[in-house]
Amino acid sequence: SQTIHQWPATLVQPVGSPLSLECTVEGTSNPNLYWYRQAAGRGLQLLFYSVGIGQISSEVPQNLSASRPQDRQFILSSKKLLLSDSGFYLCAWGLGSGGPGTQYFGPGTRLLVL
Amino acid sequence: AQTVTQSQPEMSVQEAETVTLSCTYDTSENNYYLFWYKQPPSRQMILVIRQEAYKQQNATENRFSVNFQKAAKSFSLKISDSQLGDTAMYFCAFGRQTSYDKVIFGPGTSLSVIP
């Protein structure tokens, strides 16, 4: 069966510091991968998605970037965090074209920028 | 562009009763997917139920069922025999049948099950 991991679970960082959040998927090959951000009490905002190694698409221009160095690894980064980067970050995976169209989510990372 | 609307920001239901959460969407596509996700206080997003637009039969998963009205672009979720563990945020979502299966989420409905 497939599983998705995210770490760290919680992170408190000062403004201006770098960020690296990691997401890995087990039990499937060539998944589509997604990064979402959720502000408190709000819906999900798609940040980045990837359909393959090295292929990253950005949905919202901002202070963040994403990379996919391996088939089942997806990394969210920032060189200098802003207060507005605080939130709950969710990674998700899904099958590609021809799949059931469902996304499966990891446990999330709570990020607080002070 | 596709949009998903959930007009009920908050709802409550007595334990063991039935509740229906509303969702409408806007699209010009004919083939797509619709989903209901549950986010309990742990904030883990959990898939509750999925509907494929080409299927006329409404999807069911145990106590959860949907009323899919394609012409009206409506996709409501019915929870029967509500349990305390059903307390959560519920998100309606729309997915296009594309190479990257982009999903658009509604703003959510906060459901409280009252003992």
Side-chain angles (χ1 to χ4, degrees), chain B residues 12-32:
Chain B
S12 62
V13 61
Q14 291 290 135
E15 193 175 7
E17 296 294 309
T18 296
V19 64
T20 298
L21 309 183
S22 300
C23 173
T24 58
Y25 59 95
D26 186 25
T27 184
S28 59
E29 311 218 3
N30 191 47
N31 294 322
Y32 50 87

Side-chain angles (χ1 to χ4, degrees), chain A residues 59-101:
Chain A
E59 285 291 302
V60 182
Q62 55 198 321
N63 185 43
L64 302 170
S65 62
S67 62
R68 185 171 177 173
Q70 300 180 41
D71 181 43
R72 290 169 290 177
Q73 184 184 31
F74 205 23
I75 297 173
L76 184 69
S77 303
S78 174
K79 292 182 179 178
K80 290 185 178 181
L81 283 168
L82 306 173
L83 289 174
S84 58
D85 291 325
S86 292
F88 188 61
Y89 289 82
L90 284 159
C91 180
W93 73 273
L95 295 175
S97 179

Side-chain angles (χ1 to χ4, degrees), chain A residues 32 34 36 38-44 46 49 51 59 88 90 95-97 99-107 110, chain B residues 33 35 37 39 41-47 50 52 89 91 95-108:
Chain A
N32 291 339
Y34 310 84
Y36 290 88
Q38 185 181 30
R42 303 289 295 276
L44 277 70
L46 179 62
Y49 64 90
V51 300
E59 285 291 302
F88 188 61
L90 284 159
L95 295 175
S97 179
T102 303
Q103 292 186 13
Y104 301 92
F105 288 82
R110 291 172 175 79
Chain B
Y33 305 99
F35 311 90
Y37 282 89
Q39 189 178 40
S42 68
R43 302 193 79 175
Q44 170 80 56
M45 289 285 286
I46 302 166
L47 176 69
R50 184 178 75 118
E52 292 154 320
M89 281 288 288
F91 293 96
R96 295 172 59 205
Q97 198 166 4
T98 67
S99 62
Y100 53 85
D101 294 327
K102 181 177 177 179
V103 174
I104 298 169
F105 287 82

